[in-house]
Amino acid sequence: MKGDKGGLYKICEFIVDKRKLFILISVILVLFCIVSKNWVNVEYSLESYLPETTETKRGLNLMDEEFNTYGTCSVVLHNITDAQARTVADDISKIEGVFKVDYDNDEAHYNNDNALLSVTFEYNEKDEKCLEAQEKIEEYIKMYDYSLSTSLGNKGAKLLEKEMVPIKILVVIIVVVVLLLTSTSYAEVPVLLITFGLAALVQMGTNFFFGTISAISNSVSVVLQLALSVDYAVILLHRYKEERANRLLPREASIVALSKAIPEISGSSLTTVGGLAAMMFMQYGIGADLGMTLIKAIVLSILSVFTLMPGLLVWFSSAMEKTKHKSFIPEIPFVGKFAYKTRYIIAPAFFVAIIVAYFLSAKAPLVYSSSLIKTPLTNDMQKVNNEIKENFGKDNIVAVCVPVVSYEKEAELIRELEKYDEVKSITALANSKAIGDYCLTDRLTPRQFAELLNLDYEVAELVYTAYAVNDEDYGKVINGLANYSVPLIDMFDFIYEEVEAGYVTLDDEKMETLESAHKMINYAKDQLKGENYSRIVVSLNLPMESDETTAFLDTIHDVAGKYYDKEQVIVVGESVSVIDLNKCFIRDNKVVNIISVLTVLVVLLFTFKSVGMPILLILVIQGSIWINFSVPTIKHDYLFFFAYLIVSSIQMGANIDYAIVIASRYMDLRKTMLRKETVIKTMNQCFPTIITSGTMLAVAGVLIGRFTSNAAIYGIGQCIGRGTIISILITMFVLPQILLVGDRIIERTYFSVKVPVASQKKSGLMRINGMVRGHINGVVTGVVNAEVRGDVSAYVESGAITTLNETDSKENDSHEESSAGEDTGAGIDED
């Protein structure tokens, strides 16, 4: 192309001419990202993404500040006697780094020839020394038939990452097969794979910019990236092949194709990005996490298409010419004929169907914990946990955090909670056994303390006197110590400090007792008493998720409110997070749906310049979403709530493109063709695009849903796969009928957008392409796209006036279509 060149054309020319530079930059970026992808921190806990105002999040933050959580692991020994299990427990307790091993001959620890050993380490659960001690345990028990369950080392995230490897491989294989079947040249496939392979690697390698991303985002973003953005490369490829068909050389064809594809791809991506952006407004932080990750993935894919792919098209041009083949995608005129014949049946039936689907989807059996979801795969950690649950049961544990006031109040609260049948057991300082029948927080007089430790009463009095002086309670010293009582835990701490300071000397036996007591006291205090709060661990005889559980958690708040300020009582546990997640869902579901629909609606309004068309298209995809989420209701399958939120946004943002492709082609053809001919030709032309993109997203979703052990990812994959298939079927077999029936509505709601334009004056030979308003003096050849030899003075409302050389062929650009500014209703009214 010669003559005047716009700014976009010059940018495209620079990209193509500097293709070696862009390819070099891409290679350097890929090498960097291969290294940097290991810098990404992955967060496996879904609770950590709850809003700061929720009880769970406040409780988790408080416990991090106030308490020390020791590392733990559970060892299950199979086909073993009780005596053997006790020996193993004793030996493990002697391993360096192990604080204690809990094992008793009861159903909670020994059942069906299986023994459960609960190991507690001497270090915080985040300390690497816990993993070292755990490795020593595994080395010791390798001779036994054993299973080991642990949360140390983020094992769950590693297992999830391992599961995604075969999924990614299968998706790549499916993508290659689909591209081969939908291509017209075998050499197209490597161009597309290189383009998206680079984008995928850069996506993984740039996630460290976010600091930490969720395990869900880390696992599914690359697969969804490919499925969501493959259209962009296909658009550029088709544009390139059109220009080559017009006898342009590879370089020129790539430049022109890119200049035409950039606006088209940018517009197409807006609906997808709009749907994903809706997730950014969720209270539940994992929505923003996945939304940001996927939006970055879309942007990187677009950049890869804009900067890398044009050069690849030039490089592979010769191979593409040599490997041409007939398209394997058949024409489907029967779909258009079926649509025309059934337009007055299918369209009304669809509107009835989506009303039913709306009410069914609203009753989808949503759950907020993974315990009720049966995933297709079970990872090693889940297998062990299932073994423990089957043989020894699973406790529903909640932590009741109350302000530090007095041990007496804590004991009173514990005694009242223990009266409820829903409470299985309680662990707290106020009921932790010390020596004999005494608890750690029991108050002892000097005589009781002397009898407990077999001390001389006079020695006990001296100790109590020193304690009273240290506590500045001089009245007790003066008035006598006989009735002076001190909590056992505080007295042990005081004596230990005095011994350490050298003020008190004990014989070896008593020193050993004191050392042992001090160790156990510190262990208990670290976990159960902080500077401002005490933690009471309650084991419930209730399921993780039920109305009964929710009601009893309210009861705990009410009971604790009798002894403490109710606003300061915080309960933490999986059952509490279920309640918080439910509250988030109610709000987030409304926000996500409203924002995604409004965002897409705005994009469609300016795309079609019609009020009726966007409403019809959104109704089609929203109807697909409702039908998608009616399936769990009909099948009585539990659905993880997060899948409902995320897939609603993705399905609206991504699947709307299928409807846009059909609607745009229909409106273009409708200008010059009868309705029957229009719908037949529309479906023939749109089928390859929809089947290419739709198959990839559907397959990606199905594979993710079929090969994972994570409940959230299982739900996302399952719903995306099923939802995309439903959207394809509806856009292929329902949308055409709706367009035929709604033809008049679309025409009557058309509007034009007036924008200020500058007048252009040119003379000589030129091409006019677009809607112009002004005076043309000369010979005009053409209807809409025209070559003019003469003078032009006109406002260009859309399109362009390009100066031509005499040697340029008038037919060279005759394939270009007129701009969207023309009257939509200019087509034939009726057949």
Side-chain angles (χ1 to χ4, degrees):
M1 180 181 289
K2 299 179 181 179
D4 290 346
K5 301 174 182 177
L8 180 59
Y9 183 90
K10 291 179 179 178
I11 293 173
C12 297
E13 192 175 41
F14 174 80
I15 291 172
V16 174
D17 288 342
K18 301 297 181 182
R19 53 187 176 274
K20 291 183 180 179
L21 173 63
F22 282 103
I23 291 174
L24 176 61
I25 292 172
S26 299
V27 171
I28 294 172
L29 195 56
V30 165
L31 293 175
F32 169 77
C33 289
I34 289 174
V35 177
S36 64
K37 69 185 182 70
N38 298 315
W39 303 346
V40 180
N41 293 320
V42 179
E43 176 57 64
Y44 189 71
S45 170
L46 295 180
E47 287 80 7
S48 62
Y49 289 95
L50 281 165
E52 295 292 333
T53 55
T54 59
E55 185 172 23
T56 297
K57 189 66 175 181
R58 289 188 295 121
L60 292 174
N61 291 339
L62 182 145
M63 290 194 297
D64 281 342
E65 295 171 3
E66 295 275 331
F67 309 110
N68 178 24
T69 302
Y70 289 90
T72 61
C73 72
S74 297
V75 177
V76 180
L77 300 173
H78 307 286
N79 303 312
I80 194 170
T81 65
D82 173 55
Q84 289 174 318
R86 287 186 181 280
T87 300
V88 173
D90 290 340
D91 290 344
I92 291 177
S93 65
K94 297 172 185 176
I95 292 176
E96 183 181 359
V98 174
F99 179 75
K100 66 169 184 171
V101 178
D102 290 326
Y103 176 77
D104 291 307
N105 184 13
D106 55 21
E107 289 189 0
H109 291 92
Y110 189 82
N111 196 16
N112 298 325
D113 296 327
N114 296 304
L116 173 63
L117 281 59
S118 300
V119 181
T120 303
F121 299 105
E122 293 181 343
Y123 319 105
N124 184 277
E125 62 181 355
K126 297 177 182 178
D127 196 321
E128 291 293 325
K129 292 179 181 178
C130 288
L131 290 173
E132 295 174 8
Q134 183 173 287
E135 290 174 1
K136 294 176 184 176
I137 293 174
E138 291 191 77
E139 178 66 24
Y140 169 74
I141 60 175
K142 66 182 181 181
M143 65 189 73
Y144 296 93
D145 179 11
Y146 79 95
S147 303
L148 188 143
S149 173
T150 181
S151 59
L152 300 174
N154 213 4
K155 187 176 180 181
K158 293 177 181 177
L159 289 171
L160 181 59
E161 188 175 343
K162 184 179 178 181
E163 288 176 359
M164 292 305 297
V165 173
I167 294 176
K168 292 173 183 177
I169 293 172
L170 286 171
V171 168
V172 170
I173 293 172
I174 296 296
V175 166
V176 171
V177 172
V178 172
L179 291 177
L180 284 172
L181 292 176
T182 57
S183 68
T184 56
S185 170
Y186 294 117
E188 295 173 8
V189 177
V191 172
L192 298 174
L193 290 179
I194 293 172
T195 300
F196 279 104
L198 177 138
L201 282 171
V202 175
Q203 160 67 5
M204 291 187 289
T206 54
N207 282 333
F208 76 92
F209 289 140
F210 295 139
T212 299
I213 65 171
S214 69
I216 293 175
S217 299
N218 189 56
S219 300
V220 305
S221 60
V222 172
V223 177
L224 292 181
Q225 175 186 12
L226 174 62
L228 289 171
S229 54
V230 69
D231 285 352
Y232 312 143
V234 172
I235 289 171
L236 178 57
L237 178 63
H238 287 174
R239 285 292 188 183
Y240 174 79
K241 290 193 289 187
E242 288 174 6
E243 301 307 326
R244 289 288 284 148
N246 288 326
R247 297 186 295 279
L248 287 181
L249 294 174
R251 173 188 174 275
E252 286 70 25
S254 187
I255 294 171
V256 176
L258 182 59
S259 65
K260 293 178 179 179
I262 286 177
E264 187 176 351
I265 291 171
S266 300
S268 175
S269 65
L270 284 177
T271 53
T272 304
V273 171
L276 297 174
M279 296 191 294
M280 307 280 286
F281 294 88
M282 288 171 54
Q283 275 188 325
Y284 190 33
I286 204 167
D289 181 88
L290 184 57
M292 286 190 300
T293 306
L294 288 178
I295 289 173
K296 177 168 69 70
I298 297 295
V299 172
L300 290 172
S301 296
I302 293 173
L303 290 175
S304 182
V305 170
F306 288 170
T307 61
L308 177 65
M309 189 172 169
L312 293 176
L313 289 172
V314 176
W315 279 15
F316 281 82
S317 59
S318 177
M320 289 170 65
E321 290 296 323
K322 293 176 182 177
T323 59
K324 281 186 176 180
H325 61 80
K326 291 181 66 175
S327 175
F328 300 114
I329 302 297
E331 291 193 344
I332 51 170
F334 63 90
V335 174
K337 293 176 182 178
F338 172 79
Y340 188 77
K341 289 181 180 179
T342 61
R343 62 191 184 280
Y344 295 120
I345 299 173
I346 297 295
F350 174 71
F351 288 111
V352 173
I354 63 175
I355 291 173
V356 175
Y358 168 76
F359 289 103
L360 286 175
S361 64
K363 295 181 180 179
L366 302 179
V367 294
Y368 301 87
S369 68
S370 59
S371 59
L372 296 176
I373 303 290
K374 292 184 178 179
T375 55
L377 298 182
T378 305
N379 62 42
D380 293 340
M381 189 168 67
Q382 289 171 332
K383 289 177 182 177
V384 179
N385 290 336
N386 289 339
E387 286 178 4
I388 294 174
K389 183 178 180 180
E390 290 170 7
N391 288 290
F392 310 104
K394 183 180 180 181
D395 291 337
N396 182 2
I397 304 293
V398 296
V400 183
C401 299
V402 295
V404 172
V405 177
S406 69
Y407 295 131
E408 287 75 20
K409 277 187 178 292
E410 187 176 316
E412 290 175 23
L413 172 59
I414 292 170
R415 283 193 290 271
E416 184 164 354
L417 287 175
E418 286 176 333
K419 296 177 182 177
Y420 288 89
D421 294 334
E422 293 86 349
V423 175
K424 183 177 181 181
S425 64
I426 296 179
T427 301
L429 277 182
N431 70 345
S432 294
K433 293 296 182 182
I435 302 174
D437 294 328
Y438 290 111
C439 293
L440 282 174
T441 59
D442 286 347
R443 304 182 74 92
L444 274 66
T445 63
R447 185 167 297 282
Q448 290 171 320
F449 187 74
E451 292 172 353
L452 179 66
L453 295 183
N454 195 24
L455 293 174
D456 291 335
Y457 178 70
E458 290 77 10
V459 174
E461 279 192 318
L462 287 175
V463 172
Y464 269 65
T465 301
Y467 183 92
V469 171
N470 185 70
D471 201 35
E472 298 182 354
D473 193 355
Y474 302 108
K476 297 295 182 183
V477 178
I478 297 171
N479 298 323
L481 299 169
N483 297 319
Y484 181 36
S485 61
V486 177
L488 185 58
I489 186 172
D490 294 342
M491 184 54 70
F492 269 121
D493 279 343
F494 174 72
I495 294 174
Y496 187 83
E497 290 173 2
E498 294 296 297
V499 170
E500 286 289 293
Y503 299 130
V504 176
T505 302
L506 299 176
D507 59 41
D508 291 343
E509 183 181 348
K510 290 184 173 58
M511 191 64 202
E512 184 178 344
T513 302
L514 181 62
E515 289 281 0
S516 176
H518 178 73
K519 185 178 180 180
M520 294 302 298
I521 287 171
N522 272 352
Y523 167 76
K525 288 178 68 175
D526 282 350
Q527 296 191 97
L528 301 173
K529 183 181 179 183
E531 184 177 348
N532 302 298
Y533 271 83
S534 290
R535 179 162 58 179
I536 302 171
V537 180
V538 183
S539 177
L540 303 177
N541 291 312
L542 294 169
M544 293 291 177
E545 185 173 351
S546 71
D547 293 338
E548 186 182 2
T549 305
T550 301
F552 188 69
L553 290 173
D554 289 336
T555 299
I556 291 177
H557 278 282
D558 292 337
V559 172
K562 297 178 182 179
Y563 304 96
Y564 304 92
D565 182 351
K566 193 173 181 179
E567 296 299 319
Q568 292 183 296
V569 176
I570 300 175
V571 183
V572 189
E574 188 174 343
S575 291
V576 181
S577 71
V578 164
I579 299 170
D580 289 332
L581 289 170
N582 177 258
K583 292 176 181 177
C584 286
F585 172 79
I586 294 172
R587 183 261 185 194
D588 287 345
N589 188 38
K590 294 177 183 177
V591 171
V592 166
N593 286 331
I594 291 172
I595 293 178
S596 61
V597 168
L598 288 178
T599 303
V600 172
L601 179 62
V602 170
V603 173
L604 295 182
L605 279 173
F606 288 96
T607 299
F608 291 101
K609 298 183 176 64
S610 166
V611 175
M613 180 65 85
I615 292 175
L616 290 176
L617 297 187
I618 287 177
L619 198 59
V620 165
I621 300 303
Q622 186 61 58
S624 302
I625 294 172
W626 289 332
I627 293 172
N628 185 14
F629 291 115
S630 296
V631 175
T633 304
I634 296 170
K635 294 176 66 179
H636 303 289
D637 283 345
Y638 288 120
L639 176 63
F640 198 61
F641 82 102
F642 185 64
Y644 192 103
L645 287 173
I646 297 302
V647 176
S648 295
S649 296
I650 293 177
Q651 193 173 347
M652 175 59 73
N655 293 173
I656 194 74
D657 284 347
Y658 313 151
I660 293 173
V661 168
I662 293 175
S664 299
R665 192 62 54 92
Y666 177 87
M667 296 306 296
D668 286 341
L669 296 175
R670 182 72 181 94
K671 296 172 185 175
T672 55
M673 299 175 68
L674 301 174
R675 285 195 293 173
K676 183 176 182 179
E677 295 171 347
T678 298
V679 75
I680 292 173
K681 192 168 184 179
T682 294
M683 300 314 296
N684 273 338
Q685 293 180 354
C686 294
F687 180 63
T689 302
I690 293 174
I691 202 65
T692 302
S693 175
T695 300
M696 291 183 186
L697 184 56
V699 168
V702 170
L703 289 177
I704 290 172
R706 292 298 302 170
F707 294 97
T708 184
S709 59
N710 182 279
I713 294 177
Y714 163 67
I716 292 173
Q718 183 187 46
C719 293
I720 285 179
R722 183 177 62 227
T724 301
I725 293 170
I726 291 170
S727 295
I728 292 172
L729 292 174
I730 289 177
T731 52
M732 291 293 296
F733 297 102
V734 176
L735 178 58
Q737 288 90 326
I738 292 175
L739 292 175
L740 289 167
V741 173
D743 194 280
R744 299 297 181 95
I745 297 174
I746 297 167
E747 179 181 335
R748 290 174 181 174
T749 57
Y750 171 81
F751 64 88
S752 59
V753 180
K754 300 293 184 181
V755 294
V757 291
S759 176
Q760 298 186 34
K761 294 184 179 182
K762 294 181 182 291
S763 297
L765 179 62
M766 67 205 79
R767 168 168 294 285
I768 301 177
N769 180 16
M771 174 67 92
V772 298
R773 176 165 48 86
H775 178 69
I776 300 176
N777 180 24
V779 180
V780 179
T781 304
V783 180
V784 177
N785 295 323
E787 283 187 5
V788 177
R789 189 184 303 277
D791 299 321
V792 174
S793 177
Y795 292 95
V796 182
E797 296 185 0
S798 64
I801 301 176
T802 307
T803 302
L804 302 176
N805 289 337
E806 292 292 337
T807 57
D808 288 333
S809 169
K810 291 190 290 183
E811 290 79 23
N812 190 47
D813 293 317
S814 63
H815 66 281
E816 295 181 357
E817 297 176 356
S818 60
S819 78
E822 294 176 84
D823 187 353
T824 309
I828 297 175
D829 182 57
E830 187 53 78
D831 43 318

